Coordinates of all heavy atoms in Angstrom, one line a residue:
M131 N 139.8 52.9 213.4 CA 139.9 54.3 213.0 C 140.7 54.4 211.8 O 141.7 53.7 211.7 CB 140.4 55.1 214.2 CG 140.5 56.6 214.0 SD 139.2 57.6 213.9 CE 137.7 57.4 214.2
G132 N 140.4 55.4 211.0 CA 141.2 55.5 209.7 C 142.5 56.1 210.0 O 143.0 56.4 211.0
G133 N 143.2 56.5 208.9 CA 144.5 57.0 208.9 C 144.6 58.4 209.5 O 145.7 58.9 209.9
N134 N 143.6 59.2 209.5 CA 143.6 60.6 210.0 C 143.0 60.7 211.3 O 141.7 60.6 211.5 CB 142.9 61.5 208.9 CG 143.1 62.9 209.2 OD1 143.4 63.3 210.4 ND2 142.9 63.8 208.3
P135 N 143.7 60.9 212.4 CA 143.1 60.9 213.7 C 142.2 62.1 214.0 O 141.4 62.0 215.0 CB 144.4 61.0 214.7 CG 145.4 61.6 213.8 CD 145.1 61.1 212.4
R136 N 142.1 63.1 213.2 CA 141.2 64.2 213.5 C 139.7 63.8 213.5 O 138.9 64.4 214.1 CB 141.5 65.3 212.5 CG 141.0 65.1 211.1 CD 141.3 66.2 210.2 NE 141.0 65.7 208.9 CZ 140.3 66.4 208.0 NH1 139.9 67.6 208.3 NH2 140.1 65.9 206.8
Y137 N 139.4 62.8 212.7 CA 138.0 62.4 212.6 C 137.4 62.0 213.9 O 136.2 62.1 214.1 CB 137.8 61.3 211.5 CG 138.1 61.7 210.1 CD1 139.1 61.1 209.3 CD2 137.4 62.7 209.5 CE1 139.4 61.5 208.1 CE2 137.6 63.1 208.2 CZ 138.6 62.5 207.5 OH 138.8 62.9 206.2
R138 N 138.2 61.3 214.8 CA 137.6 60.9 216.0 C 137.2 62.0 216.9 O 136.4 61.8 217.8 CB 138.5 59.9 216.7 CG 139.7 60.6 217.5 CD 140.5 59.4 218.1 NE 141.9 59.7 217.8 CZ 142.7 60.4 218.6 NH1 142.3 60.8 219.7 NH2 144.0 60.6 218.2
L139 N 137.6 63.3 216.6 CA 137.2 64.4 217.4 C 136.0 65.1 216.7 O 135.5 66.1 217.4 CB 138.4 65.4 217.5 CG 139.7 64.8 218.1 CD1 140.8 65.8 218.0 CD2 139.4 64.4 219.5
W140 N 135.6 64.7 215.6 CA 134.5 65.4 214.9 C 133.2 65.2 215.5 O 132.9 64.1 216.0 CB 134.4 65.0 213.4 CG 135.4 65.6 212.5 CD1 136.6 66.2 212.9 CD2 135.4 65.7 211.1 NE1 137.3 66.7 211.8 CE2 136.5 66.4 210.7 CE3 134.5 65.3 210.2 CZ2 136.7 66.8 209.4 CZ3 134.7 65.7 208.8 CH2 135.8 66.4 208.5
T141 N 132.4 66.2 215.6 CA 131.0 66.1 216.0 C 130.0 65.9 214.9 O 130.5 65.9 213.7 CB 130.6 67.4 216.7 OG1 130.6 68.4 215.7 CG2 131.5 67.9 217.8
R142 N 128.8 65.7 215.2 CA 127.8 65.5 214.1 C 127.8 66.7 213.2 O 127.6 66.5 212.0 CB 126.4 65.2 214.8 CG 125.4 64.8 213.8 CD 124.1 64.4 214.6 NE 123.1 64.1 213.7 CZ 122.2 64.9 213.2 NH1 122.3 66.2 213.4 NH2 121.3 64.4 212.3
D143 N 127.9 67.9 213.8 CA 127.9 69.1 212.9 C 129.1 69.1 212.0 O 128.9 69.6 210.8 CB 127.9 70.4 213.8 CG 126.6 70.5 214.6 OD1 125.5 70.1 214.1 OD2 126.6 71.2 215.6
N144 N 130.2 68.7 212.4 CA 131.4 68.6 211.5 C 131.1 67.7 210.3 O 131.4 68.0 209.2 CB 132.7 68.1 212.3 CG 133.1 69.0 213.3 OD1 133.3 68.6 214.4 ND2 133.4 70.2 213.0
W145 N 130.5 66.4 210.6 CA 130.2 65.5 209.6 C 129.2 66.1 208.6 O 129.3 66.0 207.4 CB 129.7 64.2 210.1 CG 130.8 63.4 210.8 CD1 131.0 63.1 212.0 CD2 131.9 62.8 210.1 NE1 132.1 62.3 212.3 CE2 132.7 62.1 211.0 CE3 132.3 62.8 208.7 CZ2 133.9 61.4 210.7 CZ3 133.5 62.1 208.4 CH2 134.2 61.4 209.4
Q146 N 128.2 66.8 209.2 CA 127.1 67.4 208.3 C 127.7 68.4 207.4 O 127.3 68.6 206.3 CB 126.0 67.9 209.2 CG 124.8 68.4 208.4 CD 123.7 68.8 209.2 OE1 123.7 68.7 210.5 NE2 122.6 69.3 208.6
G147 N 128.6 69.2 207.9 CA 129.3 70.2 207.1 C 130.2 69.6 206.0 O 130.3 70.1 204.9
Y148 N 130.8 68.5 206.3 CA 131.7 67.8 205.4 C 130.9 67.2 204.2 O 131.3 67.2 203.1 CB 132.5 66.7 206.2 CG 133.5 65.9 205.4 CD1 134.6 66.4 204.9 CD2 133.3 64.5 205.2 CE1 135.5 65.7 204.2 CE2 134.2 63.8 204.6 CZ 135.3 64.3 204.0 OH 136.2 63.6 203.4
C149 N 129.8 66.6 204.6 CA 128.9 65.9 203.5 C 127.5 66.3 203.9 O 126.7 65.5 204.4 CB 129.1 64.4 203.6 SG 130.6 63.9 202.8
P150 N 127.0 67.5 203.4 CA 125.7 67.9 203.7 C 124.6 67.3 202.9 O 123.4 67.3 203.4 CB 125.7 69.5 203.4 CG 126.8 69.5 202.4 CD 127.8 68.5 202.7
T151 N 124.9 66.7 201.8 CA 123.8 66.1 200.9 C 124.1 64.7 200.6 O 125.3 64.2 200.6 CB 123.7 66.9 199.6 OG1 124.9 66.8 198.8 CG2 123.4 68.4 199.9
I152 N 123.1 64.0 200.2 CA 123.3 62.6 199.7 C 124.2 62.5 198.5 O 125.1 61.5 198.4 CB 121.9 61.9 199.4 CG1 122.0 60.4 199.4 CG2 121.3 62.4 198.2 CD1 121.9 59.7 200.7
G153 N 124.2 63.4 197.6 CA 125.0 63.4 196.5 C 126.5 63.6 196.9 O 127.4 62.9 196.3
R154 N 126.8 64.4 197.8 CA 128.1 64.7 198.3 C 128.7 63.4 199.0 O 129.8 63.0 198.9 CB 128.1 65.9 199.2 CG 129.5 66.2 199.7 CD 130.2 67.0 198.6 NE 131.2 67.8 199.3 CZ 132.1 68.5 198.7 NH1 132.2 68.4 197.3 NH2 133.0 69.1 199.3
M155 N 127.8 62.8 199.7 CA 128.2 61.5 200.4 C 128.6 60.4 199.5 O 129.5 59.8 199.6 CB 127.0 61.1 201.3 CG 126.7 61.9 202.5 SD 125.2 61.5 203.3 CE 125.1 62.6 204.6
L156 N 127.7 60.3 198.4 CA 128.0 59.3 197.4 C 129.3 59.6 196.7 O 130.1 58.8 196.3 CB 126.9 59.2 196.4 CG 125.6 58.5 197.0 CD1 124.4 58.6 196.0 CD2 125.9 57.1 197.5
D157 N 129.6 60.9 196.4 CA 130.8 61.3 195.7 C 132.0 61.0 196.5 O 133.1 60.7 196.0 CB 130.8 62.8 195.5 CG 129.8 63.3 194.5 OD1 129.3 62.5 193.7 OD2 129.5 64.5 194.4
R158 N 131.9 60.9 197.8 CA 133.0 60.5 198.7 C 133.0 59.1 199.0 O 133.8 58.7 199.8 CB 132.9 61.4 200.0 CG 133.1 62.9 199.7 CD 133.3 63.6 201.1 NE 133.4 65.0 200.9 CZ 134.6 65.7 200.8 NH1 135.7 65.0 200.8 NH2 134.6 67.0 200.6
G159 N 132.1 58.3 198.4 CA 132.2 56.8 198.6 C 131.5 56.3 199.8 O 131.7 55.2 200.2
W160 N 130.6 57.1 200.4 CA 129.9 56.6 201.6 C 128.8 55.6 201.2 O 128.3 55.6 200.1 CB 129.2 57.7 202.3 CG 130.0 58.7 202.9 CD1 131.4 58.9 202.7 CD2 129.7 59.6 204.0 NE1 131.9 59.9 203.5 CE2 130.9 60.3 204.4 CE3 128.6 59.8 204.7 CZ2 130.9 61.2 205.4 CZ3 128.6 60.8 205.8 CH2 129.7 61.5 206.0
S161 N 128.5 54.6 202.0 CA 127.5 53.6 201.8 C 126.5 53.7 203.0 O 126.9 54.2 204.1 CB 128.0 52.2 201.6 OG 128.8 51.8 202.7
F162 N 125.3 53.2 202.8 CA 124.3 53.4 203.8 C 123.5 52.2 204.2 O 123.3 51.3 203.4 CB 123.3 54.4 203.3 CG 123.9 55.7 202.9 CD1 124.2 55.9 201.6 CD2 124.1 56.8 203.8 CE1 124.8 57.1 201.1 CE2 124.7 57.9 203.4 CZ 125.1 58.1 202.0
T163 N 123.1 52.1 205.5 CA 122.1 51.2 205.9 C 121.0 52.0 206.7 O 121.2 53.1 207.0 CB 122.7 50.1 206.9 OG1 123.2 50.8 208.0 CG2 123.7 49.2 206.2
I164 N 119.8 51.4 206.8 CA 118.8 52.1 207.6 C 118.3 51.1 208.7 O 118.2 49.9 208.5 CB 117.6 52.5 206.7 CG1 116.7 53.4 207.4 CG2 117.0 51.4 206.1 CD1 115.8 54.2 206.5
T165 N 118.2 51.6 209.9 CA 117.9 50.8 211.1 C 116.7 51.4 211.8 O 116.7 52.6 212.1 CB 119.1 50.7 212.0 OG1 120.3 50.3 211.2 CG2 118.9 49.7 213.2
C166 N 115.8 50.5 212.3 CA 114.7 50.9 213.2 C 115.1 50.9 214.6 O 115.8 49.9 215.1 CB 113.5 49.9 213.0 SG 112.1 50.3 214.1
G167 N 114.8 51.9 215.3 CA 115.2 52.0 216.7 C 114.4 51.2 217.6 O 114.8 50.8 218.7
A168 N 113.2 50.7 217.2 CA 112.3 49.9 218.0 C 112.5 48.4 217.8 O 112.8 47.7 218.7 CB 110.9 50.3 217.7
C169 N 112.4 47.9 216.6 CA 112.6 46.5 216.3 C 113.9 46.1 215.8 O 114.1 44.9 215.6 CB 111.4 46.1 215.3 SG 111.7 46.6 213.7
R170 N 114.8 47.0 215.6 CA 116.1 46.8 215.1 C 116.2 46.1 213.7 O 117.3 45.6 213.4 CB 116.9 45.9 216.1 CG 117.0 46.4 217.5 CD 117.9 47.6 217.6 NE 118.0 48.1 218.9 CZ 118.0 49.3 219.3 NH1 117.8 50.3 218.3 NH2 118.0 49.7 220.5
L171 N 115.2 46.3 212.9 CA 115.2 45.9 211.5 C 116.3 46.7 210.8 O 116.4 48.0 211.0 CB 113.9 46.1 210.8 CG 113.8 45.9 209.3 CD1 114.1 44.4 209.0 CD2 112.6 46.4 208.7
E172 N 117.2 46.1 210.1 CA 118.3 46.7 209.4 C 118.2 46.4 207.9 O 118.1 45.2 207.6 CB 119.7 46.4 210.0 CG 120.7 47.2 209.5 CD 122.1 47.0 210.2 OE1 122.1 46.3 211.2 OE2 123.1 47.6 209.8
M173 N 118.3 47.4 207.1 CA 118.2 47.1 205.6 C 119.3 48.0 204.9 O 119.7 49.0 205.4 CB 116.8 47.6 205.2 CG 115.7 46.9 205.8 SD 114.1 47.6 205.5 CE 114.0 47.6 203.7
R174 N 119.7 47.4 203.7 CA 120.5 48.2 202.8 C 119.6 49.3 202.2 O 118.5 49.2 202.1 CB 121.1 47.4 201.7 CG 122.2 46.5 202.1 CD 122.8 45.9 201.0 NE 123.2 44.5 201.4 CZ 123.1 43.4 200.8 NH1 122.5 43.4 199.6 NH2 123.5 42.3 201.4
V175 N 120.3 50.4 201.9 CA 119.7 51.6 201.3 C 119.9 51.6 199.8 O 121.1 51.5 199.4 CB 120.1 52.8 201.9 CG1 119.5 54.1 201.2 CG2 119.7 52.9 203.4
D176 N 118.8 51.7 199.0 CA 119.0 51.9 197.6 C 119.1 53.4 197.2 O 118.1 54.1 197.2 CB 117.8 51.3 196.8 CG 117.9 51.3 195.3 OD1 118.8 52.0 194.8 OD2 117.2 50.6 194.6
T177 N 120.3 53.9 197.2 CA 120.6 55.3 197.0 C 120.1 55.8 195.6 O 119.6 57.0 195.5 CB 122.0 55.7 197.1 OG1 122.8 54.9 196.3 CG2 122.5 55.5 198.6
D178 N 120.0 54.9 194.6 CA 119.4 55.4 193.3 C 118.0 55.7 193.5 O 117.5 56.7 192.9 CB 119.6 54.2 192.3 CG 121.0 54.0 191.9 OD1 121.8 54.9 192.0 OD2 121.3 52.9 191.5
K179 N 117.2 55.0 194.3 CA 115.8 55.3 194.5 C 115.7 56.6 195.2 O 114.8 57.5 195.0 CB 115.1 54.2 195.3 CG 114.7 53.0 194.6 CD 113.9 52.1 195.5 CE 113.5 50.9 194.7 NZ 112.8 49.9 195.6
I180 N 116.5 56.9 196.3 CA 116.5 58.2 197.0 C 116.8 59.4 196.0 O 116.1 60.4 196.1 CB 117.5 58.2 198.2 CG1 117.0 57.2 199.2 CG2 117.6 59.6 198.7 CD1 118.1 57.0 200.3
I181 N 117.8 59.2 195.2 CA 118.1 60.3 194.3 C 117.1 60.5 193.3 O 116.8 61.7 193.0 CB 119.5 60.0 193.6 CG1 120.6 60.2 194.7 CG2 119.7 60.9 192.5 CD1 122.0 59.8 194.3
K182 N 116.4 59.5 192.8 CA 115.4 59.6 191.9 C 114.1 60.4 192.5 O 113.5 61.1 191.8 CB 114.9 58.2 191.4 CG 114.0 58.2 190.1 CD 113.8 56.8 189.6 CE 113.1 56.9 188.3 NZ 113.0 55.5 187.8
A183 N 113.8 60.1 193.7 CA 112.7 60.6 194.4 C 113.0 62.1 194.9 O 112.2 62.9 194.9 CB 112.2 59.7 195.5
K184 N 114.2 62.2 195.5 CA 114.5 63.5 196.2 C 115.6 64.4 195.6 O 115.7 65.5 196.0 CB 114.9 63.2 197.7 CG 113.8 62.3 198.3 CD 113.9 62.4 199.8 CE 112.8 61.6 200.5 NZ 111.7 62.4 200.9
G185 N 116.4 63.8 194.8 CA 117.5 64.5 194.1 C 118.8 64.5 194.9 O 118.8 64.1 196.1
R186 N 119.9 64.8 194.2 CA 121.2 64.7 194.8 C 121.5 65.7 195.9 O 122.3 65.6 196.7 CB 122.3 64.8 193.8 CG 122.4 63.6 192.9 CD 123.6 63.8 191.9 NE 124.9 64.0 192.5 CZ 125.7 63.1 192.9 NH1 125.4 61.9 192.9 NH2 126.9 63.4 193.4
D187 N 120.7 66.8 195.9 CA 120.8 67.9 196.9 C 120.0 67.6 198.1 O 120.1 68.5 199.0 CB 120.4 69.2 196.3 CG 121.4 69.6 195.2 OD1 122.6 69.2 195.3 OD2 121.0 70.4 194.3
W188 N 119.4 66.5 198.3 CA 118.6 66.2 199.5 C 119.5 65.9 200.6 O 120.5 65.2 200.4 CB 117.6 65.0 199.2 CG 116.9 64.6 200.4 CD1 115.8 65.2 201.0 CD2 117.0 63.4 201.3 NE1 115.4 64.6 202.1 CE2 116.1 63.4 202.2 CE3 118.0 62.4 201.2 CZ2 116.0 62.4 203.2 CZ3 117.9 61.4 202.1 CH2 116.9 61.4 203.1
S189 N 119.2 66.4 201.8 CA 120.0 66.2 203.0 C 119.3 65.2 203.9 O 118.2 65.5 204.4 CB 120.2 67.5 203.8 OG 120.9 67.3 204.9
P190 N 119.9 64.1 204.3 CA 119.3 63.1 205.1 C 119.5 63.4 206.6 O 119.0 62.7 207.5 CB 120.0 61.8 204.7 CG 121.4 62.2 204.4 CD 121.2 63.6 203.6
W191 N 120.3 64.4 207.0 CA 120.6 64.7 208.3 C 119.4 65.0 209.2 O 118.7 65.9 208.8 CB 121.7 65.8 208.4 CG 123.0 65.5 207.8 CD1 123.4 65.7 206.5 CD2 124.0 64.8 208.5 NE1 124.7 65.2 206.4 CE2 125.0 64.6 207.5 CE3 124.2 64.2 209.7 CZ2 126.2 63.9 207.8 CZ3 125.3 63.5 210.0 CH2 126.4 63.4 209.1
G192 N 119.2 64.3 210.2 CA 118.1 64.6 211.1 C 116.8 64.0 210.7 O 115.8 64.3 211.4
K193 N 116.7 63.3 209.6 CA 115.4 62.8 209.1 C 115.3 61.4 209.5 O 116.2 60.6 209.8 CB 115.4 63.0 207.6 CG 115.5 64.5 207.3 CD 115.1 64.8 205.9 CE 115.1 66.3 205.6 NZ 116.4 66.9 205.5
S194 N 114.0 60.9 209.5 CA 113.7 59.5 209.8 C 112.5 59.1 208.9 O 111.8 60.0 208.4 CB 113.4 59.3 211.3 OG 112.2 60.0 211.7
A195 N 112.2 57.9 208.8 CA 111.0 57.3 208.1 C 110.4 56.3 209.0 O 111.0 55.7 209.9 CB 111.5 56.8 206.8
A196 N 109.1 56.0 208.7 CA 108.4 55.0 209.4 C 109.1 53.6 209.1 O 109.6 53.4 208.0 CB 106.9 54.9 209.0
C197 N 109.1 52.7 210.1 CA 109.6 51.4 210.0 C 108.8 50.7 208.9 O 107.6 50.8 208.8 CB 109.6 50.7 211.3 SG 110.4 49.0 211.1
R198 N 109.6 49.8 208.1 CA 108.9 49.1 207.0 C 108.4 47.7 207.5 O 107.8 47.0 206.8 CB 109.9 48.9 205.9 CG 110.2 50.3 205.4 CD 111.0 50.3 204.1 NE 110.2 49.7 203.1 CZ 110.5 49.7 201.8 NH1 111.6 50.3 201.4 NH2 109.8 49.0 201.0
R199 N 108.8 47.3 208.7 CA 108.3 46.0 209.3 C 106.8 46.1 209.6 O 106.4 47.1 210.3 CB 109.1 45.6 210.5 CG 108.6 44.3 211.1 CD 109.5 43.7 212.1 NE 110.6 43.1 211.3 CZ 111.8 42.8 211.9 NH1 112.0 43.1 213.2 NH2 112.7 42.2 211.2
I200 N 106.0 45.2 209.2 CA 104.6 45.2 209.4 C 104.3 45.2 211.0 O 104.9 44.4 211.7 CB 103.9 43.9 208.8 CG1 104.0 44.0 207.3 CG2 102.4 43.8 209.2 CD1 103.6 42.8 206.6
G201 N 103.5 46.2 211.4 CA 103.1 46.2 212.9 C 104.1 47.0 213.7 O 103.8 47.3 214.8
C202 N 105.2 47.4 213.2 CA 106.2 48.2 214.0 C 105.9 49.6 213.9 O 105.7 50.1 212.8 CB 107.6 47.9 213.5 SG 108.8 48.8 214.5
L203 N 105.9 50.3 215.0 CA 105.6 51.8 215.0 C 106.8 52.6 215.1 O 106.7 53.8 215.4 CB 104.6 52.1 216.1 CG 103.2 51.4 216.0 CD1 102.4 51.7 217.3 CD2 102.5 51.7 214.8
G204 N 108.0 52.0 215.1 CA 109.3 52.6 215.3 C 109.6 53.5 214.0 O 108.9 53.5 213.0
R205 N 110.7 54.2 214.2 CA 111.2 55.0 213.1 C 112.6 54.6 212.7 O 113.4 54.1 213.5 CB 111.4 56.5 213.6 CG 110.2 57.2 214.2 CD 109.2 57.5 213.2 NE 109.6 58.4 212.2 CZ 108.9 58.8 211.1 NH1 107.7 58.2 210.9 NH2 109.4 59.6 210.3
M206 N 112.9 54.7 211.4 CA 114.1 54.2 210.8 C 115.0 55.4 210.6 O 114.6 56.4 210.1 CB 113.9 53.4 209.5 CG 113.1 52.2 209.8 SD 113.0 51.1 208.4 CE 114.4 50.0 208.8
R207 N 116.3 55.2 210.9 CA 117.3 56.3 210.6 C 118.5 55.8 209.8 O 118.8 54.6 209.9 CB 117.9 56.8 211.9 CG 116.8 57.5 212.7 CD 117.5 58.4 213.8 NE 116.5 59.3 214.4 CZ 116.1 60.5 214.0 NH1 116.6 61.0 212.9 NH2 115.3 61.2 214.7
L208 N 119.0 56.6 209.0 CA 120.2 56.2 208.2 C 121.4 56.1 209.0 O 121.6 56.9 210.0 CB 120.4 57.3 207.1 CG 119.6 57.2 205.8 CD1 119.9 58.4 204.9 CD2 119.9 55.9 205.1
R209 N 122.3 55.2 208.6 CA 123.6 55.1 209.2 C 124.6 55.0 208.0 O 124.3 54.2 207.2 CB 123.7 53.8 210.1 CG 124.9 53.7 210.8 CD 124.9 52.4 211.7 NE 126.2 52.1 212.2 CZ 126.6 50.9 212.5 NH1 125.7 49.9 212.4 NH2 127.8 50.7 213.0
A210 N 125.5 55.8 208.0 CA 126.5 55.9 206.9 C 127.8 55.4 207.3 O 128.3 55.6 208.4 CB 126.6 57.4 206.4
Y211 N 128.5 54.7 206.3 CA 129.8 54.3 206.4 C 130.7 55.2 205.6 O 130.5 55.3 204.4 CB 130.0 52.8 206.1 CG 131.4 52.4 206.0 CD1 132.1 52.2 207.2 CD2 132.1 52.3 204.9 CE1 133.4 51.8 207.3 CE2 133.5 51.9 204.8 CZ 134.1 51.7 206.1 OH 135.4 51.4 206.1
A212 N 131.6 55.9 206.3 CA 132.5 56.8 205.6 C 133.9 56.1 205.4 O 134.5 55.8 206.4 CB 132.7 58.1 206.3
P213 N 134.3 55.7 204.2 CA 135.5 55.0 204.0 C 136.8 55.7 204.3 O 137.8 55.1 204.8 CB 135.5 54.5 202.5 CG 134.6 55.6 201.9 CD 133.6 56.0 202.9
G214 N 136.8 57.0 204.2 CA 138.1 57.7 204.5 C 138.5 57.6 206.0 O 139.6 57.1 206.2
P215 N 137.6 57.9 206.9 CA 138.0 57.7 208.3 C 137.7 56.2 208.8 O 138.0 55.9 209.9 CB 137.1 58.7 209.1 CG 135.9 58.9 208.2 CD 136.4 58.8 206.7
N216 N 137.1 55.4 207.9 CA 136.7 54.1 208.3 C 135.8 54.0 209.5 O 136.1 53.4 210.5 CB 138.0 53.2 208.5 CG 137.7 51.8 208.6 OD1 136.8 51.3 208.0 ND2 138.6 51.0 209.3
E217 N 134.7 54.8 209.4 CA 133.9 55.0 210.6 C 132.4 55.0 210.1 O 132.0 55.5 209.1 CB 134.2 56.3 211.2 CG 133.7 56.5 212.5 CD 134.3 57.7 213.2 OE1 135.5 57.9 213.2 OE2 133.5 58.6 213.7
F218 N 131.5 54.5 211.0 CA 130.1 54.6 210.8 C 129.6 55.9 211.4 O 130.0 56.2 212.6 CB 129.4 53.4 211.4 CG 129.5 52.2 210.6 CD1 130.4 51.2 210.9 CD2 128.6 52.0 209.6 CE1 130.5 50.0 210.2 CE2 128.7 50.8 208.8 CZ 129.7 49.8 209.1
I219 N 128.7 56.6 210.8 CA 128.2 57.9 211.3 C 126.7 57.8 211.3 O 126.0 57.5 210.4 CB 128.7 59.0 210.3 CG1 130.3 59.1 210.4 CG2 128.1 60.4 210.8 CD1 130.9 59.4 209.1
G220 N 126.2 58.2 212.5 CA 124.7 58.2 212.6 C 124.2 59.5 212.0 O 124.7 60.6 212.4
I221 N 123.3 59.4 211.1 CA 122.7 60.6 210.4 C 121.4 60.9 211.1 O 120.9 61.9 211.2 CB 122.6 60.3 208.9 CG1 124.0 60.1 208.3 CG2 121.9 61.4 208.3 CD1 124.0 59.8 206.9

């Protein structure tokens, strides 16, 4: 846990209010991985591609994408690392 103990009490809604968009997350130094819930494929996220396709004001909260592994029917979700609280946050 990071230096500020208040973060451990935060809900998903608190995190979403703190960093509602991909641009805001990047401004705060967050990094991302994407993980499939079915096959557990985990990949780094190219945020430049996301911003080019969707813009800095795009919100990843509550969204998912089809798994990129051939034959997997699962969904992939973003997982963000917030350096301030030193914590991983499920988006």
Side-chain angles (χ1 to χ4, degrees):
M131 182 69 11
N134 191 338
R136 73 181 171 135
Y137 292 120
R138 77 181 132 94
L139 303 175
W140 279 22
T141 65
R142 186 174 182 272
D143 289 337
N144 293 127
W145 286 113
Q146 186 173 355
Y148 181 68
C149 282
T151 65
I152 195 87
R154 185 78 158 168
M155 292 171 179
L156 291 173
D157 291 344
R158 293 190 184 266
W160 290 24
S161 58
F162 306 91
T163 58
I164 191 163
T165 306
C166 176
C169 72
R170 302 289 181 223
L171 174 66
E172 189 169 354
M173 299 169 58
R174 282 189 216 135
V175 174
D176 185 347
T177 52
D178 291 336
K179 281 185 180 179
I180 292 174
I181 289 172
K182 193 173 189 177
K184 303 201 181 263
R186 286 182 57 85
D187 292 332
W188 177 73
S189 176
W191 293 95
K193 299 194 174 74
S194 65
C197 181
R198 298 189 62 169
R199 179 168 281 163
I200 296 171
C202 181
L203 300 176
R205 304 290 298 173
M206 298 191 91
R207 292 199 173 272
L208 277 176
R209 184 175 169 208
Y211 173 74
N216 192 28
E217 195 170 310
F218 284 97
I219 297 142
I221 295 177

